[in-house]
Each structure stands twice: as C-alpha cells, then as structure tokens.
Amino acid sequence: MSRFNRFALALAVTSSLVAAGPALAKAKVAAPAPIADLVKAVDIPYEAFTLDNGLRVIVHEDRKAPVVAVSVWYRVGSKHEPKGKTGFAHLFEHLMFNGSENAPGDFFEPLQQVGATDFNGTTWLDRTNYFETVPTAALDRALFLESDRMGHLLGAVTQEKLDNQRSVVQNEKRQGDNNPYGLLWYEIQENLFPKGHPYHHSAIGSMADLNSASLADVKKWFTDNYGPNNAVLVLAGDVDVATAKAKVQEWFGDIPRGAAVPAPATSVPTLPALLAKEVKDLIPTTRIYRMWTIPGLNDAESVPMQMAMSVFGGLSSSRLDNALVRKDPIAVSVAAVTQPFEDAGIVLVQADVKPGVEPALVAKRLDEEIASFLATGPTADELQRAAASYLGGTITALESVGGFGGKAVTLAEGALYSNNPAYYKVELDRMAKATPEQVKTVAQKWLSRPAFALTYTPGERTEGGENRGGAVAAGKADIRFGPHHYWNPALGDTGPDTGGPISFADRSKLPAVADLTALDFPAIERTKLKNGVEVVFARRTTVPTVNVAVSFDAGYAADPRSALGTQSLMLSLMDEGTTSLDSIAFAEAKERLGAQIDATANADETVFSLFALKPNLGASLGLLADYIRNPAFDDKELERVRAQQLNRLKAEMNNPNAIASRVLMPVLYGADHPYGIPPSGLGDAKAVTAVTRDELAAFHATWIRPDNARVFVVGDTTLAEVKKQLDATLGQWKAPATAKPVKHFEIAVPAPKPRVLLFDRPKSPQSVILAGRVLDAKGGDELEELRSANDIFGGNFLSRFNMNLRETKGWSYGVRTRISSDKDRIAWVAAAPVQADRTGDSIKELQTELKSFLGTKGVTPEEREWSINGSVRELPGSFETSGDVLGGIRNIVKFGRPDTYYETLPATYEAMTPAEIDAAARKALRVDDLVYVVVGDAAVVKPQLDGLGLPVETVSPAN
C-alpha cells in the first residue's frame, strides 16, 4: 500500500445549559501553514549498500531513543504463487516464526528476552515482511535471528511444524470469515481480477493446495523465493551506516545468492460491462458498493486518483458525506477509498443504507453523486484540505522508526516496489502539484469504466468461506497434533540439514546482549490555567507536532443506568458542529489545519483529543476549545447520529466478539455497578432511541465542566507557550455552581455464579469463548506481580495458554488472557476464538492449564526470566513517540503514581521471584468460579458444553 493511502485513507435542554464561549466564535483563525512548507518537513535521510549476495540494505540514523527497527521485506507475495500453490507465501510467514537451524525455538522467545517491541510478520499480494524494534544493544541478536531464517531455515522445517501451522492458518481464516463482511475480500479479488491474474486469489490461499503440498514442495518454494537477492533489509534508529555495514556483512554475508524471481505478468483489467452481484451476511443494514481497478502505485496517475477519492469520500467533509449523510440523510455512512498495490489497485465506494430507506434509491443517488463528481472534479480548497489531512498523518508517522507504519516501512516500500527508498518524496511532490483539472481528468478516465456493483443485504449467508481461498473442505479427516517438537525422528526428520551454507558468523549460540540503555522518560511539568484546570506537560521535539488530551472524570461509567448509550450519542453529536460552525464548516476547519480533533471514552474517562501541526497549534487549540465548550447539539443532526449509533448497535449484535463482551461484563459486575455495562458504550437501542436533545445537553453540562477536567500536552512546544494558548481558549471557562457529579463504585459486585452462557450464532465456523471473574483489586494497586503472572499464563504469545491451543494443538489463531486497566475494581478475562468442533475441549484445556498454574506447576525460572526481561527491556521502545508518552503520563495521573514510575519499574520487576509471582496469581485467580460465555453454533457446541459439568444457559446480550 502506498504511503498516501496508509495515512490518508486508513482500511473509519436549551443552549443556555452549555457553557458559552462567544470570544472563541469571533476570534480570527490564523491561516494554516502552506502545503509546500509541510512537504519540506517530511524527510527520512538514508544511506544504502548492497552485499555481494544481492541483499539490499538501507540505513536511517535516528538517535532519539536507544532502539533500532529491523525490517526485512521479501519480494514474494500471493501474486507470485502459481496454480496449485496458493497460500504458500502466507504459510511461510508462519513457518519462519517456528525456529531455524541455529535458533530452533520459537522466534518470539529470544525477542521477548531482549524487550523487542512492534514485532510481527505480514503477507500481502506483493510481498512478505518481518519486523521488530529492539534495544540497540540487542541488534546483533535480531540480525542473527533474521539471517538464520533467511539462510539456515530448511533443516528446521519439519512435517510436524508444517501440519501445525497449516492448522493455525485454517483458524486464522475461520476467525476472519466469521466476522460480518468476512468474505468481502474474496468478492473483490475474484470479480475485479479475472482468473489467471496474479491478484485473483486471496493471500490466505487455498487450503486444498496447502494440504496437498509435500514437505519437499514446501522446501522448494522457500529455496526458489527467499534468497537475499530477493530481499530488502532496513535498519532505522540508533545505528550508523559503518556499524550497519559491519554487522550485516557478519550475519548475512555468507548466505548464497538465490534464484532470480521472475515478476508475474500483470495488467489493470477492465470489466467488459457492468457486473452486479448481491450477497447476504449478518450485517445491520444494506451496504452498496461500486468498485473499479486502477493503476498501481508507481503510475503517475495513482496519487491524483487517491486525492480524488479523498475529496469524494475520504474526508469528514467529503462530497459523499455532505450529500448522502448530512444534507439528504439517506445513508448512515459512506466512504471512498483507494488501495493501490504494486501492479494495480482498487477503488471502493460504499454507502450504508439508512434503515427505512429503499436501497434502490440510495444506489441511484450514489451513482448520481459519482457522475456529478466526475463532471465537476474537486476544488482547489478541497485538494488543500486533502493534502493537509494527509500530511498531518505523514509527519507524525516520522516519529516511529519501525512497526506497521514507521520510517523503516516507508523506506522498504519505496525500495521494494519503486527501486527508490525515497519514493515517498515523488508521491508528495505529485500530491502538492495536483490541480483540480488533473484530478478530474484522472478520475474520469478510471471511473467512467464499467463498475463491479456489489450489494450486501442483511440475512443468513448462503455461502461460507470454506471453499474460497481458505479452510479445509467438509469431510476432510481431522489432523491431530501431539506436543510441539522441532525435530522428531519418529516423523523421519533428522535435524538440521548439513548441506547448507557454511556460516562465517558464530551461530553456535545467541549473541550476547550488551549493556542496555535504561528508559529516560521525559520530564513531567505541571501548571494551572487561570480557572484552576491542571495542565500536565512533557516536551518532545522529534517532529513538529503537538498532542493534546483534555480528560474528564466521566467515561461510560457515568452513563445513566436508565439511558445507556447517552454519552456515545453526545460525543457523536458534538462532532457535528459548534454554535459558530455547522457540521460541514467544522470538518473543513479541521482539515485545513491538518488537525485531528475527536472525542473518545473508556470506562473511566471522557477524552477530547487534538493532534496539531506545530505551525497551526494556536488555531487548532481554539478549534478544540470551541468543540468542547460550545457544541451546537443541533436537533436535525441528532436524528442523523442517532440513526448511525443504532446502526452500530445492530452491527455489534452481529459481531461475535462484541456479543460475548456484551453478555459477560453485566454478568460479572452486576447491572447496577458502573462497570456492569456493555463495554463499547453504545448502550441499548431503546435508550438511544428515546434520549432527547435536552438530555444530551444536560449530560454535557453535568460532566463536561472545567472543575472535572485535566489537560495533557506532549510535543514540540514549551509549557509557558502552551499555557498562554490554553489560557486564551480553555482558561476562561467558568465552572458551574452545582456540585461535581459522582459515580457509585460502592455498589457491590455480585458473588460469582459459575456457568456457561451460550449465544447461538448458527453456521459459525469458529466459537468465541470468554471466561472471567472480578478481582479484589483496583487499577491503582501494586499489580506488577499479578500482571507478570498473567503474562506467563496467557497474556503473551509465549504464554502457556497460547502455546498450547495455537502452537501445540492448532485449534486457534491465538488466545489471550488480560487484566483490565480500569480505575476501580478490575477483571481478569480469558479470550479464545477456537474452531467450533474444539469449543468444549478448549474450555477443558483452559481449566486444566489454570489449575496446574495455580497448583503444583507454578512459574518456572525460565518463564520468570523471559517475562521480566521483556517487561524491563521493552520500556525504552515503548515510549518512542509523543503519543506513547502522552498515554504513559495519563496513566501516571489516573492511577496516582509518582512521575518516576516508569523509570523505577525495572527495579520492581527484577526484584520479583517465581514464588512471589505465584503467590499473586493464587491470591487473585480461581478455576472454580469462572463465568464462561460462548458465541457459536449451538447445534455444534451445545453437546460439547453439556459435558463440562457446568450449567449451560442460552442467552441474548442486553440491547
């Protein structure tokens, strides 16, 4: 995906009761920074070199934190898979994490030991990538691991591993297919790209192909595609090019060049005529799509096409939003997105029909808006807003060296797809120079062709995903797995292959980790505004941006029990304008400034957030203050956002994970407790339908008040400067004379009643299992030992629970346990999406594992070591960005911790013993009082649940 697409279009009472701020409405808004100036701020200096074996290496030096992002990109994706071998690239992504010849254990364990962050691997149409961000002192270890799986993998690939990961991939597919719209991507690829086109089949592939592959077939696929000459290695962070050259040569230099990988023949296909199709799914309302293919990301018309779709349906103030959602509200949501790949791309335009409106009318109006846009094209102002919005995201992404979207990704994509690590500059230049006439011409060229018109309608699916690029067909023999072994002589595997390359590096053991640099958390400063509101500040100057969070002690726990969903509806309505700016004007004002302003809530807090470009900070803060203090609460807009929230509620009632949470939390906490509510905060349909404009304004006046607020600021400014700007906007806000409201946490939590609550979701290929209990602890307690115990039992990829159900048995794509982060009573919850025929067995395994963990098989020294090492060593990489620091400071304040909390945390972890971790787990957790929720096909899972010895009740989630 191109840089532009990733950042710009992510795959989104009376007025007297509201505190007025007339000075804000009349204040002159400063002109936004010119686009050309913002473009100049985007720069990622690099040096590059190539080893004799063809490995291309790119180095970017960034000394702000003692971490290095290591990112390896292979030019092999699903498009390279020939007939009969679909899914091989994705399967190998899994196999590459299962150990190599000289590092035979799980790849994550040595990374966990050094405190790696942002580590994962992904497969897509054009490439496969692997990435991790490690402390500088652990760079040799990361390079050892990456080079060992590049050059020394095949001796460690066994039949047992192949069978296990094949099963894991099946469950990854089931998990995706099981969600609403889970089959959409099959429709897109199979209908826009003809049979034989490299983009016709999905990246997860055909399980029939994978099941028929022999171990020899799989090893040949690796040999043919994973040579160093088919890869790009990016090192970004606390490293210079001289150090990089020496280390990369040491670890990768001995790997022989692989075979040349031919690029498949591709094209940008055009449908011969309009193609219309209707499918059914468990969705809340009819969704209408229009889709086309477009050129790949290297084509000069790719960026103008993306600009066009941003204006048409990507911006908050887009043409589609204004026409079909705001002015003539016949749709509850609309979007227009592009997704360019290397050789072609897609445009997707969609509209969700407002309940009660005829889908045919919405389809007609959608087509009319497309035709109108193609006839008129965008305005210069619309292009400016699209560019400013995109650049805001681009500049903030420069703060991260790695992960899913940092600087290493940008450089690697440019090198791999465009033979130019700085290709992002080409795209930015095209964006800055785009004219209305050029964008109109490009949009007309590509969207005047026949479209794929897909309509999703609510109803039971008539077709599953089993035979569409994915799961094992019905009737296939069950494959069972024993304990996880890397080389099992019983299966004919003899251990590492000695016929591979001879290594010049010492691969006999993992490289030692040198002295690690401790976390240097930014200094926290404090002041108060004229009206007494506290400001908590930390300076970060890496990029010219500022993050602000205005936090109120409210959250979903403040919702009236008789009107759950009130706060969510209030926040949605606040997005639709102020007393001086209507909905469209407010959206346009944010976009011109390149600012992001929004409101979110969790159980405890309601937070109004601002991301601002430094040159536009003053104007952005004025807009934020107007947003908080002077919401319009327009009656007409209320009916529109009410319909949207009801639609989201319907969607939640079709999502298996959301259903499970809606059932579990009220049962655990009791319906009267502040936390005994559906955790999404969407509430229930009856209350959302009934709440009035006056009640929303009254809720705002009650909870959103300056004496209930605290302001957090992190970024490229000073406390003195930002205080001056905040005093001019929020400092004039007067608190009402009424007493501050309270939340009633004194309400008792009910005694646990162990049982299984079953929600019937017919034809689900996978069951979602939740199990939980409320703990006798609060979020601000000293919980480090308990959190370490949870990490070891189920909170980490390497945990006992996950390694059992995923890596040993292959019943799940991944399971976890978690401890909530609420301010008052916290809960422990296990979450396990598993294949349907293993639902009962999975619950038994959870019970067995937990009983063992709390009994005679407590924490081992080895588990204590990887958990503590990871928790300590990941700290510097965990606060790399301003957003990370902002979150850390908010947690310090929320839980009443000292400002030095994170810097003293390593000593707390390192002092822990296995016995102390065991004691914390045994005090907090139980096996015999868990409440289970299962969302799945009752016809399949009920007989399994009846054998557990627990009462089984069929339930519906509160709505």
Side-chain angles (χ1 to χ4, degrees):
M1 191 188 307
S2 77
R3 271 65 65 193
F4 184 97
N5 187 64
R6 180 171 56 252
F7 293 124
L9 302 170
L11 237 188
V13 114
T14 65
S15 59
S16 62
L17 287 173
V18 183
L24 293 174
K26 297 176 183 177
K28 183 179 180 181
V29 178
I35 295 298
D37 291 351
L38 298 178
V39 167
K40 290 177 184 176
V42 183
D43 186 39
I44 312 174
Y46 72 91
E47 294 186 64
F49 58 92
T50 302
L51 299 188
D52 291 343
N53 59 13
L55 178 65
R56 188 173 184 181
V57 185
I58 300 164
V59 182
H60 165 66
E61 188 173 347
D62 179 346
R63 301 289 188 178
K64 74 174 182 299
V67 296
V68 180
V70 179
S71 196
V72 184
W73 291 55
Y74 294 88
R75 183 182 282 278
V76 56
S78 61
K79 76 177 183 184
H80 297 92
E81 298 161 349
K83 182 179 179 181
K85 289 183 170 58
T86 63
F88 272 43
H90 179 238
L91 180 65
F92 250 98
E93 175 213 313
H94 282 249
L95 289 170
M96 293 267 275
F97 282 107
N98 269 216
S100 52
E101 293 168 6
N102 302 291
D106 192 286
F107 191 86
F108 287 115
E109 198 274 337
L111 288 178
Q112 172 79 17
Q113 288 275 12
V114 301
T117 56
D118 292 328
F119 50 89
N120 213 322
T122 68
T123 305
W124 204 213
L125 278 65
D126 301 307
R127 64 23 174 206
T128 304
N129 66 353
Y130 305 88
F131 49 91
E132 57 273 344
T133 299
V134 298
T136 309
L139 179 57
D140 275 308
R141 178 169 292 194
L143 295 177
F144 163 82
L145 291 166
E146 290 291 359
S147 63
D148 211 58
R149 64 178 171 185
M150 179 185 287
H152 306 268
L153 180 78
L154 289 187
V157 177
T158 67
Q159 187 67 48
E160 182 184 13
K161 290 182 182 180
L162 175 60
D163 290 342
N164 172 260
Q165 289 307 308
R166 177 161 38 212
S167 185
V168 171
V169 167
Q170 283 180 257
N171 281 298
E172 179 180 357
K173 176 186 164 35
R174 289 188 184 108
Q175 186 167 314
D177 289 353
N178 198 34
N179 288 317
Y181 303 105
L183 309 183
L184 174 63
W185 195 247
Y186 306 136
E187 298 291 350
I188 293 173
Q189 289 188 266
E190 292 169 8
N191 288 288
L192 284 179
F193 299 99
K195 289 182 179 180
H197 193 286
Y199 290 163
H200 177 75
H201 69 271
S202 71
I204 206 161
S206 160
M207 294 308 295
D209 286 350
L210 295 176
N211 278 324
S212 67
S214 69
L215 193 60
D217 290 335
V218 173
K219 289 186 175 184
K220 185 177 187 304
W221 172 260
F222 176 81
T223 303
D224 289 346
N225 292 284
Y226 290 83
N229 49 304
N230 199 41
V232 172
L233 167 64
V234 179
L235 302 179
D238 187 21
V239 63
D240 56 56
V241 71
T243 302
K245 280 184 176 179
K247 290 184 181 297
V248 173
Q249 179 61 43
E250 175 185 4
W251 293 112
F252 290 85
D254 67 305
I255 302 172
R257 179 184 290 264
V261 180
T266 60
S267 63
V268 182
T270 296
L271 294 173
L274 174 71
L275 174 61
K277 183 175 182 181
E278 180 178 345
V279 298
K280 294 184 181 297
D281 204 349
L282 295 175
I283 56 173
T285 189
T286 299
R287 177 174 290 179
I288 298 165
Y289 289 101
R290 299 290 185 263
M291 307 181 204
W292 297 263
T293 58
I294 56 171
L297 57 87
N298 290 305
D299 193 285
E301 294 182 341
S302 179
V303 168
M305 193 68 232
Q306 294 173 63
M307 295 284 284
M309 291 302 96
S310 181
V311 169
F312 184 56
L315 296 171
S316 295
S317 66
S318 75
R319 296 279 185 92
L320 273 183
D321 278 284
N322 291 345
L324 302 187
V325 178
R326 290 191 176 98
K327 296 177 180 178
D328 181 16
I330 59 174
V332 289
S333 66
V334 292
V337 299
T338 60
Q339 188 154 26
F341 304 110
E342 183 176 13
D343 300 311
I346 61 170
V347 163
L348 185 152
V349 177
Q350 70 183 54
D352 284 4
V353 176
K354 183 178 178 180
V357 177
E358 279 296 320
L361 171 63
V362 179
K364 177 176 180 290
R365 291 283 289 109
L366 181 64
D367 290 334
E368 289 172 351
E369 288 300 324
I370 293 170
S372 173
F373 180 73
L374 295 183
T376 62
T379 67
D381 182 60
E382 286 173 321
L383 291 181
Q384 186 276 337
R385 300 200 314 269
S389 297
Y390 159 66
L391 283 162
T394 301
I395 292 170
T396 194
L398 296 177
E399 216 176 352
S400 178
V401 292
F404 284 96
K407 291 185 282 188
V409 172
T410 298
L411 295 171
E413 285 182 333
L416 197 73
Y417 300 148
S418 312
N419 197 32
N420 177 9
Y423 188 70
Y424 66 93
K425 291 195 172 187
V426 176
E427 290 186 308
L428 289 177
D429 182 64
R430 289 172 178 167
M431 180 196 69
K433 293 178 179 177
T435 65
E437 187 60 34
Q438 177 202 23
V439 172
K440 181 178 80 169
T441 300
V442 171
Q444 286 175 339
K445 176 179 177 180
W446 294 103
L447 301 193
S448 296
R449 297 145 66 229
F452 173 37
L454 177 65
T455 302
Y456 259 75
T457 59
E460 192 171 292
R461 286 179 180 174
T462 57
E463 180 182 12
E466 295 81 4
N467 299 312
R468 301 187 69 176
V472 176
K476 190 75 177 178
D478 182 34
I479 302 173
R480 299 179 185 273
F481 303 101
H484 187 65
H485 300 292
Y486 294 113
W487 304 302
N488 186 350
L491 296 175
D493 301 312
T494 57
D497 181 5
T498 57
I502 299 172
S503 177
F504 297 106
D506 179 8
R507 296 184 183 273
S508 62
K509 59 183 179 181
L510 283 169
V513 178
D515 291 338
L516 293 159
T517 303
L519 170 67
D520 181 17
F521 197 82
I524 298 176
E525 303 176 64
R526 287 176 168 81
T527 190
K528 287 190 176 180
L529 301 183
K530 293 175 181 178
N531 57 358
V533 173
E534 184 182 19
V535 178
V536 188
F537 173 82
R539 193 174 190 206
R540 289 291 294 257
T541 60
T542 307
V543 293
T545 64
V546 179
N547 288 273
V548 180
V550 184
S551 178
F552 294 84
D553 183 8
Y556 295 134
D559 255 3
R561 279 303 167 276
S562 60
L564 293 180
T566 294
Q567 183 169 199
S568 285
L569 191 61
M570 178 197 76
L571 296 179
S572 295
L573 189 54
M574 289 178 70
D575 286 337
E576 302 307 324
T578 71
T579 52
S580 59
L581 295 169
D582 67 16
S583 178
I584 296 174
F586 180 62
E588 290 178 349
K590 289 188 293 182
E591 292 159 359
R592 286 192 189 94
L593 295 169
Q596 298 170 20
I597 296 176
D598 53 44
T600 58
N602 55 38
D604 298 310
E605 303 158 292
T606 304
V607 182
F608 298 88
S609 300
L610 165 69
F611 163 81
L613 299 168
K614 182 180 179 180
N616 299 340
L617 178 59
S620 299
L621 283 171
L623 201 58
L624 174 68
D626 194 26
Y627 172 57
I628 296 171
R629 295 177 57 184
N630 305 312
F633 289 140
D634 183 274
D635 279 309
K636 183 179 178 181
E637 301 290 358
L638 170 58
E639 295 315 308
R640 178 166 63 81
V641 299
R642 191 197 310 274
Q644 291 172 332
Q645 184 156 327
L646 290 171
N647 192 62
R648 289 197 296 271
L649 263 170
K650 283 186 180 179
E652 190 167 276
M653 300 300 291
N654 286 316
N655 183 290
N657 294 292
I659 291 169
S661 294
R662 288 185 72 92
V663 172
L664 182 64
M665 302 317 289
V667 170
L668 290 186
Y669 282 99
D672 295 328
H673 192 277
Y675 294 160
I677 58 176
S680 69
L682 291 176
D684 67 76
K686 184 177 179 181
V688 171
T689 301
V691 70
T692 66
R693 185 260 182 204
D694 288 355
E695 288 168 337
L696 295 178
F699 186 91
H700 180 278
T702 300
W703 292 95
I704 309 305
R705 44 191 281 170
D707 56 347
N708 200 36
R710 187 178 274 113
V711 180
F712 299 87
V713 182
V714 176
D716 188 11
T717 184
T718 65
L719 181 58
E721 179 62 23
V722 81
K723 180 184 185 301
K724 179 181 175 182
Q725 293 169 319
L726 287 168
D727 265 331
T729 53
L730 290 173
Q732 304 167 24
W733 190 11
K734 304 295 185 190
T738 54
K740 285 202 300 182
V742 295
K743 291 171 279 188
H744 295 285
F745 289 110
E746 74 278 4
I747 294 173
V749 172
K753 182 183 175 184
R755 61 201 188 278
V756 179
L757 304 174
L758 172 61
F759 179 89
D760 184 19
R761 192 170 184 268
K763 297 185 179 180
S764 295
Q766 193 175 59
S767 298
V768 171
I769 302 169
L770 293 186
R773 73 185 307 268
V774 178
L775 305 184
D776 188 18
K778 296 183 178 182
D781 294 346
E782 294 181 359
L783 299 171
E784 288 77 18
E785 290 171 349
L786 180 58
R787 292 193 183 279
S788 293
N790 181 69
D791 197 36
I792 291 165
F793 176 75
N796 188 286
F797 183 90
L798 298 173
S799 67
R800 294 186 188 183
F801 189 32
N802 186 66
M803 295 302 282
N804 181 0
L805 262 62
R806 172 184 160 131
E807 295 298 282
T808 299
K809 293 186 168 61
W811 296 347
S812 176
Y813 181 42
V815 298
R816 290 292 188 276
T817 61
R818 61 180 182 269
I819 298 171
S820 63
S821 297
D822 300 324
K823 191 171 183 178
D824 204 81
R825 292 283 294 277
I826 57 176
W828 180 86
V829 175
V834 300
Q835 62 192 64
D837 62 347
R838 292 295 187 181
T839 306
D841 290 338
S842 297
I843 292 176
K844 291 176 183 177
E845 289 296 324
L846 169 61
Q847 294 170 334
T848 301
E849 287 279 8
L850 187 56
K851 183 177 181 179
S852 172
F853 183 69
L854 300 177
T856 59
K857 295 183 179 179
V859 175
T860 67
E862 293 77 16
E863 289 172 326
R864 182 259 177 207
E865 180 184 26
W866 66 248
S867 176
I868 299 306
N869 281 350
S871 296
V872 171
R873 295 171 176 178
E874 73 183 6
L875 284 170
S878 297
F879 295 103
E880 182 190 4
T881 69
S882 296
D884 297 334
V885 173
L886 182 69
I889 293 175
R890 285 181 55 200
N891 278 334
I892 284 173
V893 173
K894 176 178 179 178
F895 297 117
R897 292 166 175 158
D899 289 357
T900 57
Y901 173 75
Y902 289 108
E903 290 173 306
T904 59
L905 200 51
T908 302
Y909 280 122
E910 288 165 349
M912 291 179 194
T913 65
E916 290 169 336
I917 299 172
D918 283 340
R922 290 164 185 164
K923 179 182 177 182
L925 304 179
R926 302 284 186 276
V927 181
D928 58 1
D929 68 355
L930 296 177
V931 176
Y932 299 86
V933 175
V934 175
V935 179
D937 187 340
V940 175
V941 305
K942 178 71 162 55
Q944 303 174 52
L945 301 177
D946 287 338
L948 295 175
L950 290 169
V952 179
E953 303 173 14
T954 301
V955 298
S956 296
N959 185 18

